[in-house]
Amino acid sequence: FKILINSCLVSIIVGLIYAFLVIENEYQSTSKIMSSSQSSNQSQALGIASQLGINLPSTMQSENHRWVYKAILESRTLARSLLKEKFNTFEFGKEKTLLQILTHGIKNSTLNISKLELIALDRFKKMISVYEDSRTSIHTVTVTAKEPEFASKLNNALINTLDEHQRNYNRSKTNDARLFIQERILETKKELNLSEENLRDFRISNRRIEDSPSLLIQEQRLLRETTVLTGVFTTLKQ
């Protein structure tokens, strides 16, 4: 009985010492995010497309939106953008970059900046977790760190970086679409001018076509081609 009691007491004491003196405290900062512009942008896109007679599958766009956000949050591209951000911590001091914080204690002078970044990226990836609710499309982002304020600041920086990444991506896609439309306007204008000239030349060469079914059909084809190109050109200009 004494051996059993002593064993339990020793186990409890060792457990308390390990919990309070050996294990480092960890704090978690959690945020729930969803696209603030998803519904408005999607409705505008669907409205414009419907005016042009195009049906866009909104459910498919929503599915793409869900997996893209999770992939971006867990990507090294987003993490690499955060390595230059500066944070204040009790352990490492003020105005230290995330790269310095995550690689603190590495004394190997042979490591270049690229290898240090890889080490920092791997450590950062272990600090964050992303859970996606498939029913609501809400992502729960959790950042774990040794200091509560640092965890909160890093969480905010992660969300801000994600927002900036999405803005740059949308801006890039908009510019690509604008350049594509401008090129198509020039090409369509050339085709329309050529079609109009063909129709003009045909009418000049054939003054009276009422009695010729083949000439009437040929004129209808030229008119149809010109009408279609006019519609495409007008839509692109709009």
Side-chain angles (χ1 to χ4, degrees):
F1 182 75
K2 289 181 179 180
I3 294 174
L4 179 61
I5 294 297
N6 291 334
S7 300
C8 292
L9 289 175
V10 170
S11 300
I12 292 173
I13 293 172
V14 171
L16 292 175
I17 293 175
Y18 183 75
F20 287 99
L21 299 180
V22 179
I23 296 179
E24 296 180 345
N25 292 330
E26 288 187 343
Y27 301 89
Q28 291 184 339
S29 174
T30 303
S31 57
K32 297 181 181 293
I33 65 172
M34 65 182 299
S35 175
S36 59
S37 59
Q38 179 187 11
S39 58
S40 61
N41 287 347
Q42 183 170 334
S43 61
Q44 291 177 4
L46 293 175
I48 294 174
S50 62
Q51 293 179 4
L52 300 177
I54 303 173
N55 293 323
L56 295 179
S58 58
T59 55
M60 181 180 66
Q61 293 180 356
S62 178
E63 290 291 333
N64 292 336
H65 165 80
R66 288 203 293 266
W67 71 261
V68 165
Y69 261 115
K70 182 176 174 61
I72 294 175
L73 285 166
E74 296 177 344
S75 68
R76 289 194 172 188
T77 301
L78 194 68
R80 189 174 282 107
S81 302
L82 282 168
L83 294 181
K84 298 179 181 179
E85 294 287 333
K86 294 184 178 180
F87 301 91
N88 298 330
T89 62
F90 291 107
E91 182 178 0
F92 306 107
K94 295 182 177 181
E95 295 296 316
K96 298 295 183 181
T97 63
L98 183 60
L99 177 62
Q100 292 174 318
I101 294 174
L102 294 178
T103 58
H104 180 78
I106 298 178
K107 304 297 184 181
N108 192 346
S109 59
T110 61
L111 295 178
N112 55 28
I113 187 64
S114 298
K115 292 182 179 180
L116 288 175
E117 285 186 355
L118 290 177
I119 295 174
L121 292 174
D122 289 337
R123 292 182 176 180
F124 176 78
K125 189 175 182 180
K126 296 177 181 178
M127 295 173 61
I128 67 168
S129 63
V130 183
Y131 169 75
E132 174 198 359
D133 190 336
S134 58
R135 296 175 300 173
T136 61
S137 299
I138 294 178
H139 294 76
T140 302
V141 184
T142 303
V143 178
T144 304
K146 296 179 182 180
E147 299 180 14
E149 186 175 356
F150 174 54
S152 176
K153 296 293 184 182
L154 184 56
N155 196 350
N156 290 332
L158 176 64
I159 302 304
N160 292 334
T161 304
L162 172 65
D163 185 51
E164 183 63 24
H165 180 275
Q166 290 300 93
R167 290 178 187 272
N168 293 334
Y169 175 79
N170 293 336
R171 191 180 301 115
S172 175
K173 298 298 290 184
T174 302
N175 291 336
D176 292 343
R178 179 175 54 83
L179 292 176
F180 172 76
I181 291 175
Q182 288 178 346
E183 293 176 357
R184 288 296 301 143
I185 286 176
L186 295 177
E187 295 175 1
T188 305
K189 185 176 182 180
K190 293 179 181 179
E191 296 176 2
L192 178 59
N193 290 338
L194 180 60
S195 177
E196 291 174 342
E197 291 176 0
N198 291 336
L199 180 60
R200 180 199 60 192
D201 295 340
F202 174 81
R203 287 177 172 174
I204 291 176
S205 302
N206 303 274
R207 296 289 183 177
R208 300 183 60 84
I209 61 173
E210 294 83 0
D211 298 331
S212 176
S214 60
L215 292 178
L216 288 172
I217 293 176
Q218 188 174 353
E219 183 187 35
Q220 290 177 359
R221 289 174 179 172
L222 293 173
L223 282 171
R224 183 167 58 250
E225 181 180 359
T226 303
T227 302
V228 170
L229 290 174
T230 300
V232 173
F233 182 76
T234 302
T235 302
L236 291 173
K237 291 290 286 186
Q238 289 175 347

